[in-house]
């Protein structure tokens, strides 16, 4: 009987302990509009905040889309001065990006020419991932040159960022993606200050390269070739993510951490670049004359610092961009309180749990005594 009494006493003590500390009320903190965010955190183990957030959404641009792509580049269009294909690229929604045009380099095996005609808004198939439209990039091989696509940030002042892009190669099957193209999403200052996500169509359809270009001959480059998860191919929609922190880089695929490295992490303010290219050299390989490759992009999301960023003096509103209910909409986290609430909740669970176990032990003991 003593055992049962003690058990009941313990149970009530543990539940009193929980209530007395206000645990059982599960206080909900008020939700603040993400427009009030002053700093942003990302998922993963690297600590740190970013001060800015941008979301470029290409999924609902019906006013700017066309059912068929712009005319193919012809052999005469070797100076790359074609006009942009849609007024979208002149809107404020696209502010922050430049579309490159003109001769990139005629030193490469196959001369590289940028053309704005290779960047356009396409109607999506309604059954496909729920998007009405997407941004298309195109590269094509003419006999005398490679016509390519590149979008570059107008700012070259990004210093640390978490960049994400949801994209896929367009083809009815992997076999229909011509070999020799490279799709890149990366930060760039110089060839030695560069952090990359790259997909090479010469390779297997489930591989992606993550690289920090070496800062010097002595420095080791971070370089990993990773397989897409869940049997995906790059002809499927995949979210690729590059985190550039001070001294550490990390890469993710569809929210799964894949690679983390401290080798050759860029240290200088940089641009952000999105491109689709080939130069006929060993890395990309050579695209056959007459072939073309297309990449579709649903959205780009970036949280970032700029080199001259100041710490906010006002009390910060911290927001998260991962695990949010609507992609692209940051959500407020009330950090210190929610963290201590989480700790309290786990303490409470532990306390009650301990109470139950002890009670059970006492009960068992009391039956033994009987
Ligand atoms: C954003 O902050 C302002 C100023 O503190 C506040 O008035 C407003 O209610 C906040 N927005 C939301 C949705 O909480
Ligand atoms: C670009 O558009 C302007 C105005 O419509 C036109 O005059 C010009 O020829 C176009 N340039 C090219 C290279 O098509
Ligand atoms: C976009 O703006 C440029 C520069 O102002 C202009 O030359 C071009 O005609 C515009 N194009 C479209 C499609 O609006
Ligand atoms: C949509 O369908 C067309 C025709 O079947 C195809 O060419 C295109 O690649 C598809 N787009 C996407 C995003 O899958
Ligand atoms: C990066 O870390 C180094 C070493 O801790 C520090 O000196 C530097 O100020 C940091 N840079 C930025 C931009 O935070
Ligand atoms: C971003 O800038 C703020 C203010 O300078 C700084 O506190 C923070 O550590 C920076 N974040 C990263 C990841 O460099």
């Amino acid at each position: 009987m003593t055992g049962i009494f003690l058990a009941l006493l313990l149970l009530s003590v543990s539940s009193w302990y929980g209530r007395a500390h206000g645990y059982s009320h599960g206080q909900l903190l008020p939700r603040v509009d993400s427009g009030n965010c002053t700093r942003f955190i990302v998922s993963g183990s690297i600590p740190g905040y970013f001060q800015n957030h941008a979301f470029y959404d290409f999924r609902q641009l019906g006013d700017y889309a066309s059912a068929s792509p712009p005319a193919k580049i012809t052999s005469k269009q070797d100076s790359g001065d074609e006009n942009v294909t849609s007024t979208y690229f002149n809107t404020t929604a696209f502010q922050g990006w430049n579309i490159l045009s003109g001769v990139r380099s005629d030193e490469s095996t196959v001369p590289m020419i940028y053309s704005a005609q290779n960047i356009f808004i396409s109607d999506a198939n309604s059954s496909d991932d729920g998007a009405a439209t997407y941004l298309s990039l195109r590269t094509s091989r003419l006999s005398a040159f490679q016509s390519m696509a590149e979008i570059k940030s107008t700012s070259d002042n990004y210093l640390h960022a978490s960049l994400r892009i949801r994209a896929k190669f367009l083809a009815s099957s992997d076999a229909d993606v011509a070999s020799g193209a490279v799709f890149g999403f990366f930060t760039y200052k110089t060839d030695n200050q560069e952090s990359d996500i790259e997909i090479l169509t010469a390779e297997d359809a489930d591989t992606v390269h993550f690289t920090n270009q070496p800062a010097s001959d002595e420095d080791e480059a971070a370089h990993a070739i990773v397989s897409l998860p869940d049997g995906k191919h790059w002809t499927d929609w995949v979210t690729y993510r590059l985190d550039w922190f001070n001294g550490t880089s990390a890469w993710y695929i569809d929210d799964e951490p894949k690679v983390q490295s401290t080798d050759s992490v860029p240290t200088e303010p940089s641009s952000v670049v999105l491109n689709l290219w080939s130069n006929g050299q060993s890395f990309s390989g050579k695209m056959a004359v007459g072939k073309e490759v297309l990449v579709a992009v649903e959205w780009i999301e970036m949280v970032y610092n700029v080199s001259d960023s100041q710490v906010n003096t006002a009390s910060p509103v911290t927001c998260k961009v991962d695990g949010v209910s609507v992609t692209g909409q940051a959500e407020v986290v009330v950090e210190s309180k929610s963290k201590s609430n989480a700790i309290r909740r786990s303490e409470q669970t532990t306390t009650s749990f301990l109470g139950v176990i002890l009670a059970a032990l006492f009960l068992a003991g009391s039956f033994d005594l009987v």
Side-chain angles (χ1 to χ4, degrees):
M1 278 328 270
T2 325
I4 291 173
F5 174 75
L6 273 174
L8 290 173
L9 183 71
L10 259 168
L11 269 176
S12 54
V13 163
S14 76
S15 89
W16 163 82
Y17 185 75
R19 270 202 301 275
H21 289 75
Y23 302 156
S24 47
H25 297 288
Q27 297 144 322
L28 284 177
L29 293 149
R31 213 190 111 86
V32 187
D33 188 69
S34 66
N36 286 343
C37 302
T38 61
R39 58 184 197 181
F40 301 87
I41 50 171
V42 297
S43 65
S45 58
I46 314 170
Y49 298 98
F50 298 95
Q51 297 196 289
N52 308 280
H53 176 234
F55 186 62
Y56 298 91
D57 194 349
F58 309 115
R59 294 172 299 176
Q60 306 297 335
L61 299 177
D63 290 349
Y64 302 101
S66 53
S68 51
K72 287 178 194 280
I73 300 295
T74 67
S75 57
K76 293 198 179 95
Q77 292 174 309
D78 58 0
S79 54
D81 57 2
E82 291 73 49
N83 287 316
V84 298
T85 59
S86 166
T87 51
Y88 170 73
F89 301 112
N90 279 357
T91 63
T92 53
F94 197 66
Q95 250 170 24
W97 298 105
N98 279 331
I99 290 179
L100 272 64
S101 59
V103 178
R104 155 72 204 279
S105 150
D106 33 31
E107 289 157 23
S108 52
T109 307
V110 177
M112 302 194 282
I113 314 290
Y114 295 124
S115 172
Q117 200 165 304
N118 291 325
I119 297 174
F120 43 96
I121 306 295
S122 304
D123 277 326
N125 304 316
S126 51
S127 60
D128 183 23
D129 214 34
T133 58
Y134 51 80
L135 173 75
S136 289
L137 306 188
R138 176 175 69 184
T139 185
S140 53
R141 175 69 205 279
L142 287 296
S143 58
F145 63 95
Q146 183 84 29
S147 183
M148 322 188 300
E150 181 162 317
I151 296 172
K152 188 174 186 178
S153 60
T154 50
S155 165
D156 58 2
N157 204 21
Y158 294 92
L159 184 60
H160 307 142
S162 178
L163 311 175
R164 300 94 187 286
I165 188 167
R166 187 157 176 86
K168 72 172 189 174
F169 281 82
L170 288 178
S172 33
S173 81
D174 297 343
D176 290 338
V177 180
S179 178
V182 180
F183 172 57
F185 184 52
F186 53 103
T187 66
Y188 185 83
K189 170 69 178 177
T190 64
D191 289 349
N192 301 327
Q193 287 278 327
E194 174 178 349
S195 190
D196 298 330
I197 296 169
E198 285 170 314
I199 294 171
L200 284 63
T201 63
E203 296 184 338
D204 291 342
D206 62 351
T207 57
V208 51
H209 289 234
F210 298 137
T211 313
N212 285 339
Q213 299 296 340
S216 71
D217 288 346
E218 300 87 62
D219 261 6
E220 209 185 333
H223 184 214
I225 301 176
V226 170
S227 292
L228 298 180
D230 307 326
K232 279 193 173 184
H233 286 182
W234 26 249
T235 43
D236 298 311
W237 289 114
V238 173
T239 303
Y240 303 91
R241 167 175 161 195
L242 158 62
D243 280 8
W244 171 26
F245 282 84
N246 192 356
T248 309
S249 299
W251 289 266
Y252 293 72
I253 302 175
D254 283 345
D255 291 328
E256 281 181 33
K258 289 291 176 189
V259 176
Q260 186 164 319
S261 178
T262 54
D263 291 326
S264 291
V265 179
T267 55
E268 293 178 25
S270 298
S271 305
V272 176
V273 181
L274 169 64
N275 66 11
L276 184 62
W277 61 277
S278 179
N279 61 5
Q281 287 166 204
S282 61
F283 183 70
S284 68
K286 204 171 273 184
M287 195 180 288
V289 173
K291 292 287 187 188
E292 67 174 16
V293 167
L294 289 157
V295 167
V297 178
E298 283 192 336
W299 49 259
I300 294 170
E301 184 167 33
M302 323 204 293
V303 290
Y304 59 93
N305 277 0
V306 292
S307 69
D308 50 2
S309 64
Q310 305 294 315
V311 185
N312 289 305
T313 46
S315 62
V317 179
T318 304
C319 296
K320 61 176 184 172
V321 294
D322 297 301
V324 293
S325 49
V326 180
T327 301
Q329 283 181 23
E331 287 176 9
V332 171
V333 291
V334 183
E335 206 211 11
S336 53
K337 283 186 190 163
S338 64
K339 199 179 264 175
S340 58
N341 275 356
I343 293 165
R344 282 175 188 173
R345 268 194 301 279
S346 78
E347 274 171 1
Q348 177 192 0
T349 311
T350 314
T351 315
S352 315
F353 196 62
L354 267 177
V356 168
I357 288 186
L358 284 173
L361 282 175
F362 273 104
L363 274 173
S366 72
F367 284 126
D368 273 355
L369 285 176
V370 165

